[in-house]
Amino acid sequence: MEPACRKDKPKLNSTPSRDRSRQKSAQQEQKQRQRQEIYALNKVMTELEQQQFESFCKQMQSQGE
């Protein structure tokens, strides 16, 4: 018969260093995804700002004429 203390401990398939490296990898992927989202949002906002500026310029030109 096995001692009771062995039954209480679950078997670990991975070592703590593997867990840390997986966690670090997941964090890096999340940072990369967030960075891509920020760049995409920045691009959209820049395009919108440019459109609004061009619209404003046209409006000013039509009022000046």
Side-chain angles (χ1 to χ4, degrees):
M1 232 166 109
E2 291 183 35
C5 64
R6 289 187 138 219
K7 290 182 182 180
D8 293 341
K9 289 185 178 182
K11 286 189 176 181
L12 297 175
N13 293 335
S14 61
T15 62
S17 63
R18 280 189 196 163
D19 290 340
R20 273 187 251 121
S21 65
R22 284 182 189 154
Q23 186 177 16
K24 188 174 181 180
S25 177
Q27 286 175 346
Q28 287 175 341
E29 288 176 14
Q30 182 182 14
K31 282 183 182 180
Q32 186 177 8
R33 212 176 5 227
Q34 286 176 338
R35 185 180 208 141
Q36 289 172 344
E37 290 173 3
I38 289 169
Y39 284 141
L41 181 59
N42 188 33
K43 182 180 177 183
V44 169
M45 294 300 289
T46 302
E47 290 171 355
L48 178 61
E49 184 181 12
Q50 184 64 33
Q51 290 173 2
Q52 289 176 340
F53 178 71
E54 289 171 1
S55 175
F56 172 76
C57 289
K58 287 178 185 177
Q59 186 181 16
M60 289 293 121
Q61 283 179 345
S62 66
Q63 288 179 357
E65 294 176 353

